[in-house]
Amino acid sequence: MEQAGPWRCAGRLRRGRARGQRTRPGGEAGHSGAVQRRLQEAREELLSSPFWACGQRAIQESLSKCLEQGEKTPGSMSEVLCSFENLQLEPSHQSVTKPSSHSGESACKSSHLQCVCYGIGSFSSCVISRYQLAFLLLLLEKLQIPKSQCYIFDPLFSELEISVLNDLGVTVVLENEEGKHHIHEFTIFYMIHCGKALYNNLLWSNWSVDALPKMIIIGNSFKGIEERLLARILERDYLYIAKVLKGTEEAAFPIHPQYMDIFNDTSIHWFPLQKLKELPTETWRFQEEPMYQECDDLEIIRK
């Protein structure tokens, strides 16, 4: 299987933007403080809401289930999953504008645990995107993932937003890999409200019983995708989602009226090795790169 190339990361956008992207006018650097203050306000609101406690619990329960299957996980993955056992997922009062004090002391070593975020959107102007980013930053703290090990991409990021993300300490990705990111370490993918093609590409790029157990996807419910699409459309356009359904464990995010538009239809997905091994052998033989000639939800997928 073809593997995605290394990312290019820096503090400015590359040339050759995708069609439809717009660069914001110059002189925005002076407003980065205002954007960070709004992020801080979103963070504090999340912390004071029952939704955050419920969201933590859903994540903790999902990771615990991964831990139960840790002995069946290849390589050093069982050690990584064991590191989740002692996590105390309780509200922190640490500011999102400052690096975590645990960045270099995590029980989950940076060489073993990473996070990739796709499609967060324009958080300087969109309230929904801002809350999704605030939740991500809280998640990094709770899972003790160094912010430098969080790789974030959206083709709509402005120069201002990239500057803010750099200040926060996360790694901004400049090259659009269209979700075709092949993993080598245990990785959490944070992909709220992304298009189906993006999930499909991610699965294709890691289509093996070795790679899939090393990832957790926080994003649109795969069960919901299956329920909303005709089977023939799902298998024609999003074949890898269709193929992995029986090898997937899924836990729904809590529902809260205050954040209905922000985290609706969101689930935590993981792929137990034993369930993957139970899939038919021919499941793994088909590895053709996805093509999307009849799809209209490509978003980040731009050829």
Side-chain angles (χ1 to χ4, degrees):
M1 182 185 302
E2 181 181 346
Q3 296 185 6
W7 274 329
R8 294 192 300 110
C9 309
R12 59 183 178 82
L13 283 172
R14 65 186 176 92
R15 296 180 179 177
R17 291 171 172 269
R19 186 178 61 181
Q21 290 180 246
R22 294 180 296 175
T23 304
R24 298 177 183 273
E28 287 184 313
H31 299 292
S32 62
V35 175
Q36 292 198 35
R37 284 193 296 274
R38 289 196 291 269
L39 267 175
Q40 176 68 17
E41 291 169 359
R43 177 189 185 277
E44 291 174 353
E45 183 181 313
L46 281 171
L47 282 173
S48 64
S49 168
F51 173 79
W52 172 240
C54 293
Q56 291 183 75
R57 196 154 48 242
I59 294 170
Q60 188 172 31
E61 290 173 356
S62 298
L63 294 176
S64 295
K65 290 177 182 177
C66 286
L67 177 61
E68 292 172 4
Q69 299 150 355
E71 292 182 358
K72 302 178 180 130
T73 309
S76 62
M77 282 305 303
S78 59
E79 297 177 8
V80 175
L81 293 174
C82 285
S83 68
F84 290 129
E85 189 173 25
N86 298 320
L87 286 181
Q88 299 298 316
L89 297 182
E90 297 177 355
S92 166
H93 299 289
Q94 187 173 335
S95 169
V96 298
T97 62
K98 297 180 180 179
S100 169
S101 61
H102 300 292
S103 295
E105 303 171 2
S106 169
C108 305
K109 304 296 185 183
S110 61
S111 60
H112 292 301
L113 183 59
Q114 296 183 348
C115 179
V116 173
C117 172
Y118 289 134
I120 203 77
S122 182
F123 59 88
S124 66
S125 58
C126 177
V127 173
I128 289 176
S129 298
R130 194 175 306 138
Y131 278 96
Q132 290 173 354
L133 177 56
F135 191 98
L136 172 63
L137 294 169
L138 286 169
L139 183 62
L140 296 178
E141 290 180 15
K142 297 306 110 180
L143 299 185
Q144 302 178 32
I145 302 174
K147 289 180 181 176
S148 62
Q149 293 297 313
C150 177
Y151 301 88
I152 184 168
F153 174 82
D154 194 297
L156 297 180
F157 282 156
S158 67
E159 298 284 353
L160 166 64
E161 288 162 337
I162 290 178
S163 175
V164 170
L165 291 169
N166 285 334
D167 288 344
L168 291 172
V170 298
T171 301
V172 182
V173 175
L174 301 184
E175 183 174 353
N176 188 351
E177 291 190 327
E178 301 179 341
K180 300 170 185 177
H181 181 69
H182 185 81
I183 63 171
H184 301 282
E185 307 289 349
F186 186 70
T187 304
I188 296 174
F189 287 89
Y190 187 81
M191 305 169 62
I192 310 296
H193 296 168
C194 287
K196 295 180 286 294
L198 202 64
Y199 301 109
N200 197 57
N201 276 5
L202 177 62
L203 293 170
W204 166 76
S205 189
N206 296 279
W207 196 244
S208 73
V209 293
D210 294 324
L212 287 177
K214 296 180 181 178
M215 69 166 63
I216 286 179
I217 300 175
I218 302 175
N220 290 8
S221 167
F222 285 10
K223 290 179 182 177
I225 292 173
E226 181 185 25
E227 291 170 358
R228 288 189 293 270
L229 284 183
L230 294 174
R232 63 180 179 82
I233 301 297
L234 181 63
E235 294 179 3
R236 182 195 70 189
D237 296 335
Y238 312 106
L239 183 58
Y240 291 96
I241 296 177
K243 284 176 175 290
V244 86
L245 286 171
K246 291 183 179 180
T248 305
E249 292 283 349
E250 177 175 331
F253 245 46
I255 298 175
H256 191 284
Q258 186 176 356
Y259 304 105
M260 185 65 70
D261 293 339
I262 302 173
F263 296 102
N264 64 303
D265 193 41
T266 299
S267 288
I268 308 164
H269 308 80
W270 65 98
F271 310 95
L273 181 62
Q274 190 57 39
K275 293 190 73 168
L276 296 177
K277 286 184 173 180
E278 292 172 0
L279 298 179
T281 304
E282 56 267 23
T283 300
W284 309 106
R285 292 176 181 165
F286 185 87
Q287 297 190 8
E288 292 184 13
E289 183 172 2
M291 303 296 293
Y292 303 103
Q293 298 178 352
E294 302 182 49
C295 303
D296 58 1
D297 68 335
L298 300 185
E299 297 180 350
I300 291 179
I301 311 300
R302 301 171 188 270
K303 287 291 187 184

